[in-house]
Amino acid sequence: MAGTNRTGLSNQVLLDKIDKLRELNVRGLELPQLVVVGDQSSGKSSVLESLTGFSFPQAPGLCTRYATQISCRRDPEQQVTISIIPRPGADAALVRGLRSFRRVTSHLTNQDLETIMNEANQVMGIRIDENHTDPSLHAFSEDILKIEINGPEQEHFTVIDVPGIFRVPSPPLTTDNDVIMVRNMVESYMQNSRTIILAVLPSNVDITTQEILKMAENADPDGTRTMGVLTKPDLVTENTTREAIMDLISGKRNRLRLGYCIVKNRSADDQSSTLADRLVQEKAFFANATWNSLATSRRCGVESLKVRLSDLLMSITKKELPNVKMDVASQLESCRVSLKSLGPARIGQGAQRSYLGGLASRFQTITHCALNGSYDGDSVFTTEPDLKLITAVTKMNEKFANDFCEKGHKRHTSSDGLNEDEKAFDLNCAEDEPSSEDKPTDYPELCDVIEKEDYDCPEPIAFEEDSIVDHIERVYQDNRGPELGTFSGSILAVVFKEQSEKWSPLVRAHVSQAIILVHDYITKLLANICPDRQIRDQLWGHLIIDKVRKGYDRAMRQAHFLLRIELEGKPSTYNHYFNSEVQKKRLGRLDAAIDEQPQIFDSEVGLCFPAPILRSLVVDKNNMQQVGEDILDVLSSYYKVSRKRFVDVICRQVIGHFLLEGELSPLKVFSSELVMGLEAEELEMIAGEDAETKDQRAMLELEIKNWEAAMKLLRL
């Protein structure tokens, strides 16, 4: 194996690139890698020593308390470099301290190695034995010890060793928490979908009961990236155990797609043999008659194992590198978006005022587009279609006008319901307009502002069911004065007020729904432009909510004011349309009466009516009938004029002016002028960065730096 270059130059560059990415230790980046796992007594250290040629010190506590990355490189000069890769999320001071540790030597003795390892343990804060009582020390670390072995006989190869699984703590050196921590650390490495798991298992135990295989199965259910490495075959004494092992090696009883390999460790008493000596001893062992059936297997011995692992590492690296690039690009963009959502650093009044001013400017720009239907002016309308405010308001107003026209009166004024010109224009908007149940009405801050979220307007009373003519006669009899052949304005006022008694609940429900719609728009837009929940809550609670509530209250009071004018004042209009309507009603009544009379057809003149019949139409009525018809004609005409006037005024004044576009509209509250008027204490309270935000910003900036470094490496 020594001296053969199985990896070309391009492959070596590729593997170097992955190792450099690993050195960055970017949180969340899964890299192709070989990870050796097993119990503390499984023979892991001996396997690693045989694979890498690196002899780990035997002193207690060394090389067992953290993950160790061992990288072998072909290089003309012999050199060993030992350094520390800081854990993800470590603070800047700790990172500087850990990265400052670096030991380089061309000739490493066991004594030198023990000294260096002790120094590394101290830098990482490892408690070696019970004499170290400093509470800041810990038994295990999430930092990574990096060992680079360069030499002319080396081949490019990287493997990661993690602490061995143990189940019983040894107080005060290790605790139950350490048992859990080591297990979690091992599982985290195994869960990486780009990790080849090397499960080291002693041959002299029942393989099926080994916990490390259960853990590997949980991480790799299909067994596609797990390889079993059997050790200590020299301790196997029973034939049945040996046959079971041979079946595993040959694949007869194997659920692992990568299969099993077997190696022989050096004996516990062998402290002086070289790696070459051990390879010779291993070959001699497997040439023995007991094991010679495996001697020619590509799954027997350290040399075969290293070849398989080198091929696996290169294969998974080539396969996963495009996915690694995509992950890096995705995570970098995600961190940039998260950092952008925090806005610029807000230290000092100027930065805080500038930040809030930017939010206010964006709020007003989007609102301008929302009120003018310029939805192509900002991408927010694509991601948040609920912000298309004027579209929703227009549909709501149209439905309000239609409901008002079709059902706003208490009684129909004719047997066929409304006249054609009084019927609502169907814009097919009723189906599209969400009901109040679909709208977010759970705003406790509006409970004392909105009055009627929903109103199921009943159908008008049918003409046949309770004739309005009879009703007018009753009202007239109960309220008539000394007028002769006429009626007083008070009678019209009484009849009109009853006919329009549904106006108040219709208007209060419509304005309440409009307030909810505007309030929902404001809250959603604020959430969109200011993702920082703390700033948004402060902005909302201390600056916006009271002012928008006043705007809603003004709109509702204006609606009540208009209702009082229409329903409690004297009926009045200067609209020429009113007189035209009265004449049309009378003419229509006359036309209907004529159509019911006998007709004479003259070939020269055409259709003729006898004069006595025509005279009877005019004079053949009693006083009550004549007054009743006059009241009905005036009522119908005035109601129509008043209804059209009132609907427009509600939509234009209450909704359009007070809620949407007026100077005191709730939509104008959050403005640059408001921000410019804030005092220093208010700025700090609303926009000042707390410790959590500062930490989050620092963390994101560091992660972006690391992701950018990773992206740069991948582009080389």
Side-chain angles (χ1 to χ4, degrees):
M1 186 69 187
T4 60
N5 184 10
R6 292 183 49 81
T7 58
L9 182 60
S10 60
N11 290 344
Q12 183 168 334
V13 170
L14 183 62
L15 294 174
D16 280 337
K17 186 175 294 187
I18 296 298
D19 286 343
K20 290 177 180 177
L21 285 173
R22 187 177 292 108
E23 187 174 351
L24 292 174
N25 208 13
V26 182
R27 185 197 302 270
L29 179 59
E30 295 187 346
L31 294 171
Q33 58 192 7
L34 301 174
V35 175
V36 183
V37 298
D39 285 357
Q40 286 184 339
S41 58
S42 62
K44 264 188 334 104
S45 296
S46 295
V47 171
L48 286 166
E49 183 178 340
S50 299
L51 288 173
T52 63
F54 184 80
S55 299
F56 289 93
Q58 300 300 310
L62 297 179
C63 282
T64 59
R65 304 306 178 89
Y66 33 76
T68 304
Q69 175 189 318
I70 309 169
S71 299
C72 302
R73 299 288 184 275
R74 181 182 297 277
D75 194 274
E77 296 184 8
Q78 188 78 29
Q79 181 175 279
V80 177
T81 304
I82 301 177
S83 58
I84 300 173
I85 301 175
R87 75 201 72 166
D91 61 66
L94 180 58
V95 168
R96 285 194 298 270
L98 293 172
R99 289 202 180 276
S100 66
F101 179 85
R102 183 178 178 85
R103 303 291 184 268
V104 181
T105 180
S106 58
H107 180 68
L108 191 65
T109 66
N110 286 339
Q111 184 61 43
D112 293 337
L113 183 57
E114 285 197 19
T115 300
I116 293 174
M117 300 299 286
N118 273 311
E119 292 173 350
N121 287 335
Q122 291 176 10
V123 172
M124 285 188 277
I126 297 296
R127 182 173 58 250
I128 301 301
D129 54 46
E130 58 271 14
N131 295 325
H132 293 81
T133 57
D134 187 341
S136 65
L137 299 178
H138 36 264
F140 295 89
S141 173
E142 294 179 282
D143 303 318
I144 300 174
L145 185 72
K146 180 181 179 183
I147 302 174
E148 300 173 272
I149 307 170
N150 295 345
E153 300 298 320
Q154 294 293 341
E155 182 180 347
H156 196 123
F157 186 78
T158 297
V159 65
I160 297 174
D161 178 34
V162 293
I165 295 290
F166 68 103
R167 299 160 188 81
V168 181
S170 302
L173 192 59
T174 59
T175 66
D176 289 330
N177 289 335
D178 294 324
V179 174
I180 297 172
M181 176 186 176
V182 169
R183 185 182 183 89
N184 291 341
M185 184 191 304
V186 173
E187 287 179 341
S188 69
Y189 275 93
M190 296 170 74
Q191 290 291 341
N192 181 351
S193 62
R194 295 167 187 152
T195 289
I196 298 297
I197 304 169
L198 271 62
V200 179
L201 306 156
S203 301
N204 59 334
V205 299
D206 185 357
I207 301 299
T208 60
T209 63
Q210 293 302 291
E211 184 179 9
I212 199 67
L213 278 183
K214 298 293 183 183
M215 294 172 63
E217 185 177 355
N218 291 334
D220 177 29
D222 298 328
T224 56
R225 53 186 182 85
T226 303
M227 176 186 288
V229 180
L230 300 174
T231 63
K232 305 181 182 180
D234 51 318
L235 300 182
V236 176
T237 58
E238 298 180 356
N239 289 334
T240 54
T241 304
R242 188 180 302 113
E243 290 173 0
I245 290 172
M246 290 184 175
D247 286 346
L248 284 175
I249 301 299
S250 61
K252 294 180 181 179
R253 297 172 46 197
N254 176 25
R255 62 163 294 278
L256 303 180
R257 300 285 184 87
L258 300 182
Y260 283 84
C261 292
I262 188 168
V263 297
K264 179 186 177 301
N265 308 77
R266 68 178 177 178
S267 66
D269 297 329
D270 182 3
Q271 301 295 326
S272 58
S273 63
T274 64
L275 183 59
D277 292 337
R278 278 174 241 148
L279 291 176
V280 172
Q281 293 171 10
E282 184 183 53
K283 287 183 179 180
F285 175 81
F286 285 116
N288 184 282
T290 307
W291 297 95
N292 63 1
S293 62
L294 298 177
T296 58
S297 171
R298 295 182 63 247
R299 296 181 176 273
C300 181
V302 170
E303 287 186 315
S304 296
L305 175 62
K306 190 168 184 179
V307 170
R308 291 184 62 79
L309 293 181
S310 295
D311 291 343
L312 279 173
L313 181 59
M314 180 53 61
S315 174
I316 194 173
T317 299
K318 288 182 176 179
K319 175 186 174 184
E320 293 293 340
L321 188 61
N323 297 326
V324 171
K325 290 180 179 179
M326 287 192 294
D327 286 354
V328 171
S330 174
Q331 292 291 343
L332 177 58
E333 179 61 22
S334 176
C335 286
R336 284 172 173 170
V337 170
S338 297
L339 182 61
K340 184 179 180 180
S341 70
L342 295 180
R346 303 182 299 279
I347 302 175
Q349 294 183 39
Q352 293 163 359
R353 199 181 301 276
S354 175
Y355 174 72
L356 292 181
L359 291 181
S361 177
R362 175 127 175 85
F363 184 95
Q364 291 303 324
T365 298
I366 294 175
T367 299
H368 178 78
C369 293
L371 290 176
N372 289 280
S374 304
Y375 301 135
D376 58 342
D378 199 292
S379 60
V380 70
F381 297 108
T382 301
T383 57
E384 296 284 350
D386 288 346
L387 296 181
K388 296 180 178 181
L389 181 59
I390 199 62
T391 299
V393 170
T394 300
K395 289 181 179 180
M396 182 181 292
N397 281 342
E398 287 173 345
K399 184 177 184 300
F400 170 68
N402 286 349
D403 288 346
F404 222 91
C405 179
E406 294 174 351
K407 298 189 287 185
H409 47 287
K410 183 175 182 178
R411 291 181 173 83
H412 283 308
T413 56
S414 63
S415 59
D416 59 347
L418 292 177
N419 294 331
E420 275 306 314
D421 60 346
E422 290 182 317
K423 291 181 180 178
F425 181 56
D426 185 10
L427 295 174
N428 296 319
C429 62
E431 296 82 356
D432 298 328
E433 174 65 18
S435 68
S436 62
E437 295 179 357
D438 297 325
K439 292 184 178 299
T441 57
D442 53 341
Y443 292 115
E445 63 268 29
L446 300 183
C447 289
D448 58 343
V449 176
I450 58 176
E451 298 182 1
K452 200 174 187 62
E453 294 181 30
D454 193 17
Y455 173 58
D456 187 11
C457 187
E459 294 289 337
I461 300 173
F463 188 83
E464 298 80 4
E465 183 180 336
D466 183 7
S467 171
I468 193 169
V469 175
D470 295 338
H471 174 70
I472 288 174
E473 181 177 346
R474 290 194 297 271
V475 172
Y476 177 74
Q477 294 292 357
D478 292 340
N479 297 276
R480 63 184 301 179
E483 300 89 0
L484 184 62
T486 61
F487 59 92
S488 68
S490 61
I491 293 178
L492 178 61
V494 171
V495 177
F496 175 79
K497 187 171 185 178
E498 185 182 27
Q499 182 72 339
S500 57
E501 65 183 24
K502 289 187 284 184
W503 285 21
S504 179
L506 274 170
V507 168
R508 288 186 289 121
H510 178 59
V511 176
S512 295
Q513 290 173 14
I515 289 173
I516 293 170
L517 182 64
V518 171
H519 196 69
D520 187 53
Y521 169 86
I522 293 174
T523 56
K524 286 182 176 177
L525 181 54
L526 274 177
N528 184 276
I529 66 174
C530 181
D532 190 315
R533 180 64 179 268
Q534 181 177 353
I535 294 179
R536 192 166 70 247
D537 288 347
Q538 293 290 340
L539 191 62
W540 183 254
H542 292 280
L543 272 190
I544 296 178
I545 183 60
D546 288 341
K547 292 180 173 60
V548 297
R549 275 171 44 85
K550 290 179 180 178
Y552 302 148
D553 185 63
R554 280 191 292 269
M556 189 61 77
R557 283 191 282 110
Q558 180 67 11
H560 282 283
F561 170 72
L562 295 173
L563 281 168
R564 284 199 305 273
I565 291 176
E566 291 293 342
L567 303 183
E568 298 178 13
K570 294 180 179 179
S572 174
T573 181
Y574 299 97
N575 193 330
H576 296 290
Y577 183 69
F578 166 71
N579 187 60
S580 174
E581 279 294 303
V582 172
Q583 298 304 322
K584 284 170 61 178
K585 298 289 184 185
R586 290 172 177 172
L587 180 60
R589 193 183 305 282
L590 182 60
D591 286 340
I594 290 176
D595 290 340
E596 294 176 358
Q597 302 305 316
Q599 304 171 1
I600 301 173
F601 183 78
D602 186 290
S603 58
E604 294 183 3
V605 179
L607 199 61
C608 299
F609 295 88
I613 291 177
L614 292 178
R615 291 191 187 96
S616 69
L617 294 177
V618 177
V619 300
D620 192 14
K621 295 179 182 178
N622 59 41
N623 287 343
M624 186 62 249
Q625 183 180 8
Q626 182 63 57
V627 171
E629 289 180 355
D630 288 344
I631 294 174
L632 179 58
D633 290 343
V634 172
L635 171 66
S636 300
S637 301
Y638 181 73
Y639 182 90
K640 185 175 181 180
V641 170
S642 180
R643 171 181 58 77
K644 291 184 175 183
R645 173 184 64 199
F646 185 64
V647 168
D648 277 348
V649 169
I650 291 293
C651 292
R652 286 177 57 82
Q653 286 191 22
V654 179
I655 309 300
H657 179 77
F658 282 89
L659 286 181
L660 301 182
E661 297 180 343
E663 293 181 359
L664 300 179
S665 160
L667 298 175
K668 301 283 182 70
V669 167
F670 187 34
S671 63
S672 299
E673 291 78 10
L674 178 67
V675 173
M676 293 303 295
L678 295 177
E679 300 292 338
E681 295 79 7
E682 293 176 303
L683 285 170
E684 179 63 31
M685 178 180 61
I686 296 171
E689 288 190 337
D690 57 10
E692 181 181 353
T693 303
K694 291 177 181 177
D695 291 344
Q696 185 180 5
R697 185 186 301 280
M699 181 190 71
L700 286 171
E701 289 173 344
L702 178 59
E703 289 189 356
I704 288 173
K705 181 179 178 181
N706 289 336
W707 288 115
E708 287 176 341
M711 182 61 73
K712 183 178 180 179
L713 271 174
L714 290 168
R715 287 171 179 164
L716 293 177

